Amino acid sequence: MDTQKFSPIYSLIVPVYNEEETLLELYRRVSSVMDSLDGAGELILVNDGSRDNSLYLMRGLQQDDPRVSYLGLARNFGHQTAVTAGLNFARGEVIIVLDADLQDPPELIPRMLEKWRQGYEVVYAQRTKRKKESWFKRYTAYIFYRLLKRLADVDIPADTGDFCLMDRRVVNVLNQMPERNRYIRGLRAWIGFRQTAVKFERDPRFAGEVKYTFRKSLSLAINSLVSFSRVPLRLSTYLGLLSAGLSFIMAFLVLYWRLYQPKSPITGFATIMIAIFFLGSVQLISIGILGEYIGRIYEEVKGRPLYTISEIGGFDEKR
Ligand code: UDP
Ligand code: MG
């Protein structure tokens, strides 16, 4: 029916949140990489509710270059959701996800494709070095990835971000996963297939501020732990057992003092206060951990769509 069916081989997905300063440079570098590829490519820009001129720039890019299309999410849904939207719309046989700020060099793509041609379905980029990022970010990231590796049920490779290449088959599985809390690196590892790494040095941001605030990073970290591990739940059981053990010892001591050392200087008030605070905090921590899991059940049960789209460009014409 449709004569102009556009079927690219390579889909590049870029989530964009307030990146007006980097977009044109990103386009320049990505399009020169696309030119060098042996097949047709498409660039899908996903506007994650930017408050600057990003969407405006995308419209322009799409008009000038038929390989570019864009999705405008109706508000800021977060990086992982923006990538998910892009994956839902990608049409290529190979899908590559990269950041808009050029911290993920597009020039690495040919090397990733080489691995794909060797038969790997997932090729993730692994950072050997982070240039010009704060020591705080580097250390917290370092500790987090090691912690996640120990706790998670699946083997999520350390120091990898969302910069990766995925075969169509992998993306199809990913698109079928209904969960709302999408820690894509984790889901990607969970899916399996043949996976391999390509090492690279992470460049500093091309321009603009980091869009992942401390709060967003922390919430991503908690998300990934809760989505991929039940160890925190078990932790509260252990905590309970520990405090039960301690209270047993305490009961024994208190009885002993009461019966045999009536003049003991250790009298009621301090002991009671400490016991109350200690038990109170153990209980609150346990409830908090439980709450993390229950909150996620609540999110899943509501079954809302993952995102809403308010504008779309460059998909219909080519379909
Ligand atoms: N981003 C997004 N939505 C957000 C935050 C970030 O789409 O709510 C995009 C951002 O535009 C960039 C990528 O996610 O393309 C990574 O963001 P950033 O560079 O700030 O994070 P970091 O380099 O610390 O991972
Ligand atoms: Mg960045």
Side-chain angles (χ1 to χ4, degrees), residues 29 102-103 105 127-135 137-138 200-206 210:
R29 281 177 56 185
L102 292 165
Q103 282 198 286
R127 305 181 275 260
T128 53
K129 209 170 169 182
R130 286 163 172 260
K131 294 182 204 158
K132 280 201 190 138
E133 285 187 286
S134 71
W135 65 267
K137 177 141 192 168
R138 270 180 289 154
F200 79 114
E201 293 192 359
R202 195 165 204 224
D203 291 330
R205 219 171 207 289
F206 173 71
V210 175

Side-chain angles (χ1 to χ4, degrees), residues 155-170:
D155 193 13
I156 303 173
D159 303 323
T160 61
D162 292 307
F163 185 21
C164 71
L165 171 154
M166 288 178 279
D167 186 84
R168 167 51 55 193
R169 287 196 283 166
V170 173

Side-chain angles (χ1 to χ4, degrees), residues 14-19 46 48 76-79 82 98-101 103 133 137 202 205 209-212 216-217:
V14 182
V16 176
Y17 180 53
N18 297 342
E19 304 280 10
V46 185
D48 187 16
N76 179 241
F77 280 92
H79 177 216
L98 66 157
D99 281 356
D101 58 359
Q103 282 198 286
E133 285 187 286
K137 177 141 192 168
R202 195 165 204 224
R205 219 171 207 289
E209 292 286 298
V210 175
K211 305 303 178 304
Y212 255 96
K216 277 186 178 167
S217 299

Side-chain angles (χ1 to χ4, degrees), residues 15-124:
V16 176
Y17 180 53
N18 297 342
E19 304 280 10
E20 61 182 3
E21 289 162 282
T22 70
L23 263 184
L24 297 180
E25 177 66 10
L26 172 87
Y27 170 74
R28 197 186 61 76
R29 281 177 56 185
V30 163
S31 67
S32 82
V33 169
M34 287 208 298
D35 290 340
S36 74
L37 298 177
D38 57 356
E42 65 170 348
L43 171 64
I44 301 180
L45 299 165
V46 185
N47 180 40
D48 187 16
S50 300
R51 274 180 278 267
D52 65 358
N53 278 323
S54 299
L55 184 60
Y56 174 79
L57 293 174
M58 286 180 194
R59 289 188 196 122
L61 289 173
Q62 194 263 314
Q63 305 236 297
D64 296 343
D65 185 343
R67 294 174 303 178
V68 179
S69 38
Y70 67 89
L71 297 169
L73 303 189
R75 65 170 170 86
N76 179 241
F77 280 92
H79 177 216
Q80 302 290 306
T81 308
V83 172
T84 302
L87 291 173
N88 291 161
F89 278 77
R91 294 162 288 185
E93 280 310 304
V94 190
I95 292 93
I96 296 139
V97 177
L98 66 157
D99 281 356
D101 58 359
L102 292 165
Q103 282 198 286
D104 303 335
E107 293 75 22
L108 200 69
I109 293 173
R111 266 175 61 204
M112 296 167 110
L113 282 170
E114 221 168 274
K115 294 276 183 191
W116 175 71
R117 288 196 193 96
Q118 287 167 17
Y120 292 99
E121 280 93 358
V122 174
V123 185
Y124 50 83

